[in-house]
């Protein structure tokens, strides 16, 4: 058992039979009264975010989550198949667990899979990935980077907003947390 003083960003807590990941925390010591810890927690399975306050020193139960490097191999119907980079064991992860990470995953890409008691909880992507634009409307003469945005489909099938001057076949850097265009990649 840990105490509320041990809470840090990324800590997985076990509350009411559910697993919650700490998104934000703040230790508060008011001038009058006891100290407390204010947290923002995200449910690992549903993604729901809640605010919860703990008294300082209150006993909490933490969960041990194993994070390992896996390589994304292929999609099998609704599920995704990953291979452990150290043991070469393959695991099948349901679509619900992969979630939005599927928008940015390419075959043979390395990701981090968080496991709890042998079952996958969530997929951690790198902060940004490089993807190729497979379809976008052609740019017109005079289009500049400050002139606005247009929709573009990348090789995973996900649609992002890019500057007007970008064309089909261009490689772009995409933020995996927000899906935003970060810049053009020259190779």
């Amino acid at each position: 058992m840990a105490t509320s003083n041990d809470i840090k960003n990324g800590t997985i807590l076990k509350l009411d039979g559910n697993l919650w990941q700490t998104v934000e925390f703040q230790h508060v010591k008011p001038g009058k009264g006891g100290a407390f810890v204010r947290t923002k927690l995200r449910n690992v399975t549903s993604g729901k975010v809640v605010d919860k306050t703990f008294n300082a020193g209150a006993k909490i139960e933490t969960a041990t989550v194993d994070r390992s490097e896996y390589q994304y191999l292929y999609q099998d119907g609704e599920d995704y198949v990953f291979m452990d980079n150290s043991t070469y064991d393959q695991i099948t992860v349901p679509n619900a667990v992969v979630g939005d990470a599927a928008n940015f995953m390419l075959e043979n890409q390395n990701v981090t899979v968080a496991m709890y008691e042998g079952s996958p909880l969530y997929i951690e992507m790198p902060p940004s990935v490089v993807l190729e634009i497979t379809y976008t409307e052609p740019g017109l003469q005079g289009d500049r980077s400050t002139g606005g945005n247009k929709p573009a489909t990348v090789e995973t099938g996900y649609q992002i907003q890019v500057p007007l001057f970008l064309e089909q076949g261009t490689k772009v850097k995409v933020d995996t947390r927000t899906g935003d265009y970060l810049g053009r990649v020259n190779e």
Side-chain angles (χ1 to χ4, degrees), residues 139-150 161-167 172 181-184:
L140 300 172
Q141 181 63 31
D143 286 342
R144 299 289 175 254
S145 61
T146 58
N149 289 331
K150 63 181 178 180
Q161 293 292 317
V162 298
L164 294 170
F165 66 87
L166 289 180
E167 306 210 354
V172 294
Y181 163 82
L182 295 175
R184 186 169 36 173

Side-chain angles (χ1 to χ4, degrees), residues 15-76:
L15 302 170
D16 305 323
N18 290 319
L19 295 177
W20 299 83
Q21 182 176 23
T22 307
V23 178
E24 291 177 19
F25 75 98
Q26 180 181 19
H27 292 278
V28 180
K29 176 72 172 102
K32 188 176 189 181
F36 58 91
V37 180
R38 187 178 297 136
T39 62
K40 187 178 282 189
L41 304 172
R42 182 177 53 82
N43 188 308
V44 171
T45 51
S46 70
K48 179 181 175 184
V49 177
V50 298
D51 294 323
K52 187 153 177 66
T53 304
F54 299 96
N55 290 329
K59 299 279 186 214
I60 55 171
E61 189 176 353
T62 59
T64 303
V65 174
D66 300 321
R67 290 178 176 86
S68 299
E69 268 307 293
Y70 281 80
Q71 184 179 44
Y72 169 55
L73 297 178
Y74 58 92
Q75 186 172 359
D76 184 20

Side-chain angles (χ1 to χ4, degrees), residues 7-140:
I7 295 176
K8 303 281 182 265
N9 285 346
T11 303
I12 306 289
L13 305 176
K14 209 171 184 182
L15 302 170
D16 305 323
N18 290 319
L19 295 177
W20 299 83
Q21 182 176 23
T22 307
V23 178
E24 291 177 19
F25 75 98
Q26 180 181 19
H27 292 278
V28 180
K29 176 72 172 102
K32 188 176 189 181
F36 58 91
V37 180
R38 187 178 297 136
T39 62
K40 187 178 282 189
L41 304 172
R42 182 177 53 82
N43 188 308
V44 171
T45 51
S46 70
K48 179 181 175 184
V49 177
V50 298
D51 294 323
K52 187 153 177 66
T53 304
F54 299 96
N55 290 329
K59 299 279 186 214
I60 55 171
E61 189 176 353
T62 59
T64 303
V65 174
D66 300 321
R67 290 178 176 86
S68 299
E69 268 307 293
Y70 281 80
Q71 184 179 44
Y72 169 55
L73 297 178
Y74 58 92
Q75 186 172 359
D76 184 20
E78 288 290 309
D79 298 333
Y80 294 83
V81 178
F82 293 87
M83 178 182 68
D84 188 324
N85 287 345
S86 57
T87 64
Y88 305 111
D89 292 337
Q90 291 186 9
I91 60 168
T92 302
V93 180
N95 187 28
V97 173
V98 174
D100 291 339
N103 297 329
F104 309 105
M105 285 190 321
L106 293 173
E107 289 183 1
N108 303 320
Q109 180 179 7
N110 287 336
V111 298
T112 303
V113 178
M115 307 276 275
Y116 177 70
E117 294 181 350
S119 61
L121 291 177
Y122 56 89
I123 305 293
E124 286 180 5
M125 294 290 295
S128 64
V129 293
V130 175
L131 299 171
E132 184 176 328
I133 296 174
T134 55
Y135 176 78
T136 189
E137 295 294 326
L140 300 172

